[in-house]
Amino acid sequence: MILRKERPSDHDMIRAVHLTAFPSTDEADLVDALRRDGDAVISLVALETERVTGHILLSRMAEPARALGLAPVAVLPAFRRQGIAASLIEAGLAWASEHGWELVFVLGDPAYYRRFGFDAGLAGCFTSPYAGDHFMARALVTAAPGGGKAEYAAAFSRLA
């Protein structure tokens, strides 16, 4: 498996991964909208012999400053349970940390995302329409913001 930043030539394959991995077009449309709006900060792909088998996107949050939203994460069904999603998440978090981002938010399964350091308690310090046990944050710096509003990029509010 090779992990790397997406290239424009990957866009159709990335869309196909999301269309295969999810029951609706929402996630694929979200990726396209985040790119189009200029809010996609880092987009990574997993490759097996030149085929995109997994994808992760971290996008700029509207609030707080220096925060990213982790979504979506997708892996083709035939390649699941091989550590692809975990490798993509770890690589995305490492990249975000190296580039000075302070927080990453995610909405997902706590049992899965806790292993990457995500914490619902930290996210609970922020007001958000996604508040609850599945809304989590991970601090990437010791002095990360500890409260305020957590607002995803505009493309999230346009989801069907």
Side-chain angles (χ1 to χ4, degrees):
M1 172 180 55
I2 296 170
L3 299 181
R4 64 163 169 76
K5 288 183 182 180
E6 77 166 30
R7 298 175 183 154
S9 60
D10 298 327
H11 291 186
D12 288 343
M13 286 187 286
I14 290 169
R15 185 166 178 82
V17 167
H18 288 282
L19 291 172
T20 303
F22 294 103
S24 76
T25 64
D26 287 350
E27 286 78 6
D29 294 344
L30 177 62
V31 170
D32 293 342
L34 288 166
R35 273 194 214 111
R36 185 177 51 253
D37 294 351
D39 290 320
V41 174
I42 182 68
S43 181
L44 301 173
V45 294
L47 298 164
E48 283 290 334
T49 59
E50 300 298 316
R51 179 181 183 196
V52 174
T53 58
H55 175 252
I56 185 175
L57 182 72
L58 288 110
S59 60
R60 181 175 290 102
M61 298 279 290
E63 289 186 57
R66 305 301 304 154
L68 297 171
L70 168 57
V73 177
V75 175
L76 289 173
F79 292 88
R80 291 184 183 155
R81 302 207 177 276
Q82 297 177 28
I84 293 171
S87 294
L88 286 165
I89 292 166
E90 289 168 354
L93 292 171
W95 184 94
S97 180
E98 290 167 11
H99 287 84
W101 293 92
E102 297 177 348
L103 283 168
V104 177
F105 289 89
V106 69
L107 184 64
D109 179 5
Y112 183 75
Y113 285 100
R114 272 191 225 116
R115 70 189 217 185
F116 302 103
F118 285 94
D119 177 39
L122 176 57
C125 297
F126 294 85
T127 58
S128 170
Y130 303 108
D133 293 341
H134 290 84
F135 183 59
M136 296 163 280
R138 176 174 166 183
L140 300 177
V141 296
T142 54
K149 185 176 181 181
E151 183 179 341
Y152 282 88
F156 283 87
S157 64
R158 295 192 305 259
L159 288 176

